[in-house]
Amino acid sequence: MMNQLKARMIVDKSFRIAEVDNRIYGSFIEHLGRAVYGGIYEPGHDTADEHGFRSDVKELIRELNVPIIRYPGGNFVSGYNWEDGVGPVEERPTRLELAWRTIETNEVGTNEFAAWAKDVGSEVMMAVNLGSRGIDAARNLLEYCNHPKGSYWSDLRRKHGYEQPHNFKTWCLGNEMDGPWQIGHKTAEEYGRLALETAKAMRLMDPSIELVSCGSSSSAMATFPEWEAVTLDHTYDAVDYVSLHTYYGNRDGDSANYLARGMDMDYFIQTVRSTCDYIKSKKRSKKTMYLSFDEWNVWYHSNNADQKIEPWSFAPPQLEDVYNFEDALLVGSMLVTFLRHADRVKMACLAQLVNVIAPIMTENNGRAWKQTIFYPYLHASKYGRGVSLQPIVDSPKYDAKDFTDVLYLDSAVVYNEADDEVTIFAVNRSLDTAMDLDCDVRSFEGYQLAEHLVLEHDDLKAVNTAEEEKVKPHNRGQSECKDGKVTARLPKASWNVIRLKKA
């Protein structure tokens, strides 16, 4: 075991990757488990507002400053009739929800969610059903949501009590349509044609919207990346983004390998952007296709749960991963990976936001609390807004089961010109050794150390509960900034946020 790791970094304000699109700090709410009912919405709760939404949960979401939330799915959307979730609540049908085999009461629908999202300061990334439905339902939903008045669907919205249009800007053309588990699963050719024709109809109605084409459900799909190539051959000129989804887990208990999973995400992004650029060249286009990483997280704890869900129950606990400290470290690495690809990754949605593989957990009729992964997400959302810079990094490396040349130092840097702040995000992947970091910041003359936040714990498996928050950050990091150089001690297995501010 080494006594100390040493890493060096050069950060220069001229080494710009791109402006960070704040929407990379988005999230996701699906009608699944207790994400909606018992999560964001619980009319009988002590903190419920006049519309039935939990105020304690709203406060935690506002703290995260989530800029955009994807809705209503997810697998759920591929069998969803959006008309079921609008109009008088007492007249809405109760349905058998096939994706997760539960009961959907439709008590919360498009209008309620739009109002709630506005209340927590978020935009809505709306998804249309291209599984069991298609062009007509998609254009009708768009008309209902975005057209001011004077048409059947827009006037129906007004009749339902929403005079002003929601003006949703971003729309997903279905969900994971390459997946055999998906209701209405399609081949790449089938999806590409349908997505193109749906996009054409939607843009005829509202040319201002942005559209997201379904990419592969994961890089492990046998059809990846041919799916992207075939579908984008159809949709390239009609959409603005292609989606990426990935989840990671540590099923075999190999923490060194687990913490290297950010390299897999990096490879995934590189492959998708290369495929996009191939289609761009093939079409001799001047348009750049951007990436929407609209599902990402750690997800594996609940896969092994003994609890069996009774079919056709209402809002049962599903996919309620209890996250530990090492999960938070990987989430931090995934966030810095987005920042290093800020030129192409313009949106990302941590899946999901409440209860279902989420940073926020609740008890029915009880408390709400922060899971371990809440904190890197919070720090990135709070301090990762500005220009992503390309740091020059010299770090020791290690080899893991699935990866070689893994940098012990996983890092990204954001320069907020408006506030004269520079933030260095750094994960020390070493499980047993602290790291000394020397960082050349001479281009930021007059900047001083403002804060060094650290998330660390001796137990990689430590978790937070409603009773005790074992894993939480402190601001006692060991750093100084002097003569254009930052020197810092990064504890073993730690997430670090080093903030510099102009004096």
Side-chain angles (χ1 to χ4, degrees), residues 229-242:
V230 172
T231 58
L232 286 174
D233 207 17
H234 291 286
T235 63
Y236 196 89
D237 294 327
V239 303
D240 305 283
Y241 307 89
V242 63

Side-chain angles (χ1 to χ4, degrees), residues 21-29 40 57-71 113 116-125 296 348-354 359-360 374 377-382 385:
D21 190 319
N22 294 338
R23 293 178 298 175
I24 69 168
Y25 306 120
S27 194
F28 179 26
I29 289 284
I40 65 172
V57 173
K58 285 194 291 185
E59 285 306 309
L60 291 173
I61 295 170
R62 289 189 188 113
E63 185 178 352
L64 288 170
N65 193 13
V66 184
I68 193 166
I69 302 174
R70 185 168 170 247
Y71 177 84
F113 189 81
W116 173 85
K118 184 177 181 180
D119 192 24
V120 298
S122 296
E123 297 177 8
V124 175
M125 179 191 292
W296 70 274
C349 300
L350 177 71
Q352 295 185 19
L353 188 53
V354 183
I360 298 168
F374 184 96
Y377 181 26
L378 169 68
H379 294 156
S381 178
K382 190 172 184 178
R385 304 190 183 214

Side-chain angles (χ1 to χ4, degrees), residues 468-488:
E468 183 179 8
E469 190 174 55
K470 291 183 178 179
V471 180
K472 58 184 177 181
H474 63 77
N475 62 357
R476 302 183 303 277
Q478 300 178 51
S479 293
E480 70 172 356
C481 183
K482 185 177 180 181
D483 299 327
K485 186 168 86 168
V486 172
T487 56

